[in-house]
Amino acid sequence: MALKPFNELIKVDLSDEVQKRPVKKNSNLTLDYLEWANCIKLLYEHGAEKVRYGMIYNENGYPCFYNQNGEAPFVRVWVEIDGERYEEDYPVVNGIYVVSNPNQLDINKAKQRGFVKAVAINTGLGLSLWIKEEEIINSDKDIQKELNKDESKSLNDKITTMFSQALQVVGDKDLLYTTLQTTQEDMFKLYRSNDHAAKKILIAQLEVILNDNNNK
């Protein structure tokens, strides 16, 4: 017996299998999700003969990865179904919020969600739930406002850290502002704004200063 094809698994009725989780803090809006154990059960019920999954570890032997600034944690999950292997990166999040300093429980939850998403993308099982989730998140104005606010704070924190590092390299605050073609007043305005594009440009400029120093 072989696992059923994608076009059949995507149509599987999950109404008796899903759980509910709040999409964000203090919200009555919930999303349907498929628990990892139910996902495995359904795979076997629909023809899978052997299902395995686990985590890929970073160079330090830890099951969590970060960007070059030590931020945006994510896990890398591998899934093997009847000899077919898949991999999926999944952010360490709580609802729509990034978990900046994840503990083992946070990482394990991301591992389980990453497994379920990898199954959905590659087999079709549960994919309808992820499609529905994307539609809800993208269409809800309150969620989008919350995501925008969260990203703005993250960018501000990154600018603060990198500006401090660049100041150590340049050695003079006025000279650093001149190099960045900005002023202290304009920086304060940028902090208070939601102009993410401008913030990312500033971060890129700071990266150039820091990279030039590292290459000396």
Side-chain angles (χ1 to χ4, degrees):
M1 185 177 180
L3 184 66
K4 291 180 180 178
F6 188 101
N7 60 353
E8 290 187 32
L9 290 176
I10 196 173
K11 299 175 182 177
V12 172
D13 182 7
L14 301 173
S15 56
D16 293 332
E17 307 287 348
V18 297
Q19 305 291 328
K20 299 281 187 181
R21 64 180 175 88
V23 70
K24 68 186 187 72
K25 298 174 184 176
N26 303 318
S27 173
N28 293 322
L29 181 62
T30 60
L31 297 173
D32 294 335
Y33 76 98
L34 183 64
E35 289 188 333
W36 67 273
N38 286 343
C39 183
I40 293 177
K41 176 178 73 73
L42 287 167
L43 284 171
Y44 281 116
E45 288 178 352
H46 289 85
E49 296 181 357
K50 187 175 183 180
V51 180
R52 300 169 60 240
Y53 81 102
M55 304 185 76
I56 297 172
Y57 293 78
N58 65 23
E59 66 276 10
N60 298 314
Y62 194 68
C64 192
F65 295 82
Y66 300 83
N67 65 16
Q68 70 259 27
N69 297 314
E71 303 165 333
F74 67 94
V75 298
R76 183 161 289 160
V77 180
W78 62 265
V79 179
E80 191 174 288
I81 303 172
D82 297 342
E84 291 290 331
R85 183 183 171 100
Y86 315 104
E87 292 184 8
E88 180 68 25
D89 291 350
Y90 194 81
V92 184
V93 293
N94 180 10
I96 61 173
Y97 304 99
V98 174
V99 180
S100 300
N101 298 300
N103 56 34
Q104 289 297 106
L105 182 59
D106 296 321
I107 291 172
N108 191 56
K109 287 181 179 178
K111 168 190 173 183
Q112 293 168 353
R113 292 290 286 157
F115 160 69
V116 175
K117 187 171 185 179
V119 169
I121 291 172
N122 292 285
T123 73
L125 181 65
L127 186 59
S128 59
L129 298 179
W130 294 93
I131 294 173
K132 180 181 177 182
E133 179 174 316
E134 288 291 329
E135 290 174 348
I136 291 174
I137 290 176
N138 291 332
S139 63
D140 189 283
K141 292 182 179 179
D142 288 337
I143 293 175
Q144 288 300 312
K145 183 178 179 181
E146 194 76 18
L147 285 171
N148 193 55
K149 178 181 177 182
D150 192 54
E151 182 179 3
S152 191
K153 180 181 182 303
S154 177
L155 291 172
N156 284 350
D157 290 344
K158 184 178 293 187
I159 289 171
T160 299
T161 300
M162 295 181 71
F163 187 90
S164 177
Q165 293 171 342
L167 182 57
Q168 294 178 31
V169 172
V170 175
D172 181 86
K173 185 177 290 187
D174 290 333
L175 179 57
L176 180 54
Y177 282 128
T178 300
T179 304
L180 295 171
Q181 298 181 323
T182 188
T183 65
Q184 187 175 33
E185 182 181 355
D186 287 340
M187 284 273 288
F188 286 149
K189 288 180 180 177
L190 184 61
Y191 267 95
R192 294 191 294 269
S193 77
N194 287 318
D195 191 344
H196 295 172
K199 291 180 182 183
K200 290 176 181 177
I201 290 172
L202 179 58
I203 288 170
Q205 292 174 303
L206 289 166
E207 285 177 342
V208 170
I209 295 173
L210 295 174
N211 288 336
D212 285 348
N213 180 69
N214 291 333
N215 292 330
K216 288 181 180 179

